[in-house]
Amino acid sequence: MLLPGMDGSGELFAPLIQVLGADLHTQVVRYPPEQPLGYGPLIEQVRRQLPAGRPFILLGESFSGPIAVSLAAERPAGLLGLVLCCTFIRNPRPGLAWLSGLVPLVSPRLAPRALLSQLLLGRFATPALDQALAGALAPLSSATLQARLRAVLEVDATAHLQQIQVPLLYLQATADRLVPADAARLIERYSGDFQCLQLEAPHCLLQARPHEAAHALERFAKTVGTDQGDQVAGRSTSSRGCSE
């Protein structure tokens, strides 16, 4: 089960899904672009979509990390593992909290496309990825984006993380300009069965390095017992901490 980043569209999972292969069943969650919802209502929406009657693994990308963590802490039936990609359990940039007053001025239609590309893709940008990113953000209303930004500034899911009993894989991008490495270390501190894999990638790791990400997810899925690939995610048997 794939939970999307700040755009909420789920469209940006396309490169990953294309290389995962037909043997893996994926369920993409999409958040309403016109509803300014914070984490609480979004968690409720995702909860209603959790697979019933079959094993699954939950993947939370970027903005959706706290949602995935909160739901995994509830230990839903069938959950085998949790994957967090370029994400956080607290505001990943607390030093910029003073900018919260500017959130009401943020609009997806005013953000320069070149700036978004630099922040999210950097040197990994391609015309196709730039176009996909712009297309995913286009339907977002300003109120929706502002609500999601406020949610990031205020979130603290550490207590939920401590309740998780399934293996956790963290995919970390070495060239991430939004979420620092400290975010993964904080998650490790509060996790039980934790493994971190580093990939040379930007914040949009799953889009820029889909083949490498798919390989890691498939290997991890086999380890947690999803021999039929019912969902996307995984577990590694190597030591704690981030490795390349």
Side-chain angles (χ1 to χ4, degrees):
M1 190 174 198
L2 304 174
L3 311 186
M6 183 72 72
D7 64 287
S9 70
E11 297 298 325
L12 294 176
F13 286 127
L16 176 68
I17 293 173
Q18 288 173 1
V19 299
L20 278 172
D23 292 338
L24 291 177
H25 172 75
T26 57
Q27 177 182 340
V28 177
V29 174
R30 305 176 193 277
Y31 305 143
E34 297 296 332
Q35 297 181 26
L37 305 176
Y39 279 128
L42 289 174
I43 289 171
E44 181 60 31
Q45 287 195 9
V46 178
R47 184 185 292 115
R48 293 196 294 266
Q49 300 179 57
L50 291 176
R54 61 186 174 87
F56 70 99
I57 299 172
L58 200 56
L59 183 150
E61 178 189 33
S62 187
F63 170 79
S64 285
I67 298 176
V69 166
S70 297
L71 290 171
E74 297 176 5
R75 305 171 191 173
L79 180 66
L80 297 178
L82 174 65
V83 176
L84 300 177
C85 181
C86 300
T87 189
F88 47 85
I89 52 171
R90 291 179 185 162
N91 176 3
R93 296 287 182 180
L96 299 179
W98 61 274
L99 292 174
S100 60
L102 301 179
V103 168
L105 305 178
V106 176
S107 168
R109 293 166 181 79
L110 298 178
R113 184 167 170 174
L115 176 60
L116 288 175
S117 179
Q118 281 299 309
L119 286 174
L120 300 175
L121 294 169
R123 61 185 174 86
F124 299 86
T126 65
L129 287 176
D130 280 339
Q131 183 62 39
L133 184 60
L137 291 171
L140 272 186
S141 69
S142 296
T144 299
L145 179 59
Q146 291 160 11
R148 292 176 188 173
L149 286 172
R150 281 194 295 269
V152 170
L153 294 175
E154 298 169 0
V155 72
D156 187 344
T158 53
H160 295 298
L161 190 63
Q162 292 173 296
Q163 301 302 313
I164 294 174
Q165 294 188 334
V166 295
L168 189 161
L169 170 67
Y170 188 98
L171 297 180
Q172 184 178 58
T174 59
D176 194 333
R177 294 180 174 178
L178 290 184
V179 178
D182 285 348
R185 287 192 284 268
L186 181 63
I187 291 173
E188 179 182 7
R189 185 187 311 166
Y190 289 97
S191 298
D193 189 345
F194 174 90
Q195 173 63 32
C196 174
L197 175 64
Q198 288 183 335
L199 292 174
E200 186 179 357
H203 183 70
C204 290
L205 181 153
L206 300 178
Q207 294 73 37
R209 300 292 298 274
H211 289 87
E212 293 85 348
H215 178 70
L217 297 176
E218 290 165 349
R219 183 175 65 246
F220 201 56
K222 290 178 181 178
T223 306
V224 296
T226 43
D227 55 356
Q228 295 181 351
D230 289 307
Q231 288 294 343
V232 177
R235 177 187 179 191
S236 175
T237 56
S238 53
S239 59
R240 291 173 65 94
C242 286
S243 61
E244 298 183 2

